[in-house]
Amino acid sequence: MHKRIEDFLLTGKEMIKINLPPFTVIMVIYNHIPDISSLKTCEKYAEKIILIDNNSSIGIHEELINICRIIGKKCILVRSSTNKGISRAYNDAVKDYVGDCEYIFFFDHDAIFDSRIFIESFNAIQAFKGKKLGVVVPIVADDPSLLGSNLGLSQKYSQVHSTITSGILLKKTLFMQVGGFDENLFVEGADYNLTRKVSRAGYMLIRINIVLIIQDFEQPVNGQDFLVTVGNRLIKFRSFIRILLNNCNIYRTKLSYYNATRETELFQNLKYLKGHGDKSLISLVTFLNRLEILYVKIIKKLINSRRSYQYDGK
């Protein structure tokens, strides 16, 4: 049975554990309706919520206007006349709309999060007070039943090598110091590059060892086929090993068509990073991403050929 977001609402005691400093939530949206319950949670704690509509369709934009009305005066909706790409959209939002807020949370538009994420993130800052803490981020999973789980990890916090940036907390001054997101990179490439820049500047990347965000990572490969089952197990095993090795903060349990659809972007990331001598991101992970793309393509061909076979009545 899937746990609901409401199951994790804070009690009065937990809410006064620490006084939260002012922070801004930024979410870049493209042709997607964000989770309203999660945005309502933001409204309880954040000083402001900035939604960047990265040139979505008119219908989606109208829905976003309605959402902002529901959330209230803390919600700021900005529509871009062109799709700037997620990196530039984030950079512009920080520069133009964050103002004097000391801290920033970034969320992907498909994030559904536990209401404890804000308390837990600032608790981490308190736990590492006096140390050069750069980034705090939770575990992000794709299975709603894992929300609130520690995945069997014994430590509450781990210092990690790199992270995706959905649910990331960092100071605005540090974001500006390292130059923000690299606008030549796409998706995870931009995420990993930002956190590696923070790490190289001498700051720690701290992962909260609790699943506090659920994301579907777009277009899961559904079905009970043997290849799908095996692929899901391999993805889950790979994710768990990376979590144990403190390599990242993603815990995926399912194959996704999403990686296969952005093959060009992944390879552009690789080409750009090679050209700029960033060997740290050219690793086994890149090789495994390529394997996943190939594997999903094979499954897709098999599914399509089977549908065609059935359609022909053979």
Side-chain angles (χ1 to χ4, degrees):
M1 182 178 173
H2 289 176
K3 298 175 182 176
R4 299 172 303 156
I5 298 295
E6 289 81 0
D7 293 336
F8 298 100
L9 291 176
L10 299 173
T11 65
K13 278 186 180 178
E14 289 171 318
M15 287 179 72
I16 60 172
K17 193 189 283 188
I18 58 171
N19 293 319
L20 301 186
F23 66 88
T24 296
V25 168
I26 303 177
M27 182 181 289
V28 173
I29 300 165
Y30 178 67
N31 283 337
H32 190 90
I33 302 300
D35 180 63
I36 296 179
S37 295
S38 295
L39 291 177
K40 285 181 177 178
T41 298
C42 293
E43 193 275 334
K44 291 179 183 178
Y45 301 103
E47 183 168 286
K48 51 187 164 182
I49 305 160
I50 303 169
L51 304 182
I52 305 296
D53 178 0
N54 215 6
N55 197 31
S56 300
S57 67
I58 294 298
I60 295 291
H61 183 68
E62 289 174 352
E63 286 287 339
L64 293 176
I65 291 173
N66 290 332
I67 286 172
C68 274
R69 286 173 181 154
I70 293 169
I71 300 303
K73 62 183 180 181
K74 288 184 179 180
C75 191
I76 301 168
L77 177 61
V78 181
R79 178 170 169 80
S80 174
S81 59
T82 59
N83 189 324
K84 300 178 177 181
I86 192 166
S87 296
R88 183 181 168 193
Y90 274 135
N91 288 343
D92 287 352
V94 173
K95 181 178 65 176
D96 297 334
Y97 300 104
V98 170
D100 295 329
C101 265
E102 184 178 10
Y103 289 97
I104 306 168
F105 276 95
F106 294 105
F107 288 104
D108 288 353
H109 66 192
D110 57 346
I112 299 174
F113 44 88
D114 188 319
S115 59
R116 291 176 296 177
I117 186 168
F118 303 117
I119 298 289
E120 291 289 358
S121 296
F122 284 109
N123 276 346
I125 288 177
Q126 291 294 318
F128 289 87
K129 193 173 182 179
K131 298 182 179 179
K132 289 192 73 175
L133 177 60
V135 160
V136 176
V137 69
I139 296 175
V140 181
D142 59 1
D143 180 353
S145 69
L146 294 173
L147 194 65
S149 169
N150 67 358
L151 302 180
L153 300 171
S154 58
Q155 294 182 319
K156 183 163 186 180
Y157 305 113
S158 295
Q159 186 172 353
V160 294
H161 305 300
S162 59
T163 77
I164 65 167
T165 55
S166 188
I168 195 174
L169 168 65
L170 78 168
K171 286 188 173 182
K172 177 186 175 182
T173 51
L174 180 56
F175 182 84
M176 302 301 288
Q177 176 188 327
V178 299
F181 288 98
D182 189 321
E183 297 175 11
N184 294 290
L185 294 172
F186 305 90
V187 288
E188 286 98 333
D191 291 351
Y192 292 140
N193 179 260
L194 174 67
T195 54
R196 293 293 293 183
K197 287 191 295 185
V198 170
S199 179
R200 288 197 188 101
Y203 295 87
M204 293 187 296
L205 314 177
I206 296 299
R207 183 184 68 208
I208 305 167
N209 288 328
I210 307 173
V211 176
L212 294 174
I213 294 181
I214 299 299
Q215 286 183 213
D216 59 16
F217 297 108
E218 311 281 358
Q219 301 172 295
V221 179
N222 297 314
Q224 301 300 317
D225 290 23
F226 175 75
L227 285 177
V228 174
T229 301
V230 170
N232 287 343
R233 287 177 180 172
L234 290 173
I235 288 294
K236 190 173 181 178
F237 178 72
R238 182 186 84 172
S239 295
F240 191 65
I241 293 299
R242 291 186 69 195
I243 290 285
L244 285 179
L245 294 175
N246 296 327
N247 181 256
C248 69
N249 67 315
I250 304 174
Y251 186 67
R252 287 178 53 205
T253 63
K254 299 187 285 282
L255 285 167
S256 171
Y257 286 126
Y258 183 50
N259 268 351
T261 60
R262 35 181 214 132
E263 181 178 9
T264 302
E265 293 176 354
L266 289 169
F267 290 167
Q268 282 178 330
N269 282 342
L270 184 62
K271 183 178 178 181
Y272 177 81
L273 292 168
K274 278 183 176 178
H276 287 73
D278 192 344
K279 304 296 183 186
S280 62
L281 295 178
I282 304 166
S283 62
L284 178 62
V285 176
T286 303
F287 173 70
L288 291 173
N289 278 338
R290 287 181 167 181
L291 280 183
E292 183 181 353
I293 288 169
L294 178 61
Y295 196 88
V296 170
K297 281 183 173 180
I298 292 170
I299 291 175
K300 200 169 183 179
K301 282 185 179 180
L302 287 173
I303 291 173
N304 288 339
S305 64
R306 191 173 302 157
R307 285 175 180 164
S308 177
Y309 183 83
Q310 291 172 346
Y311 179 77
D312 291 339
K314 297 180 181 177

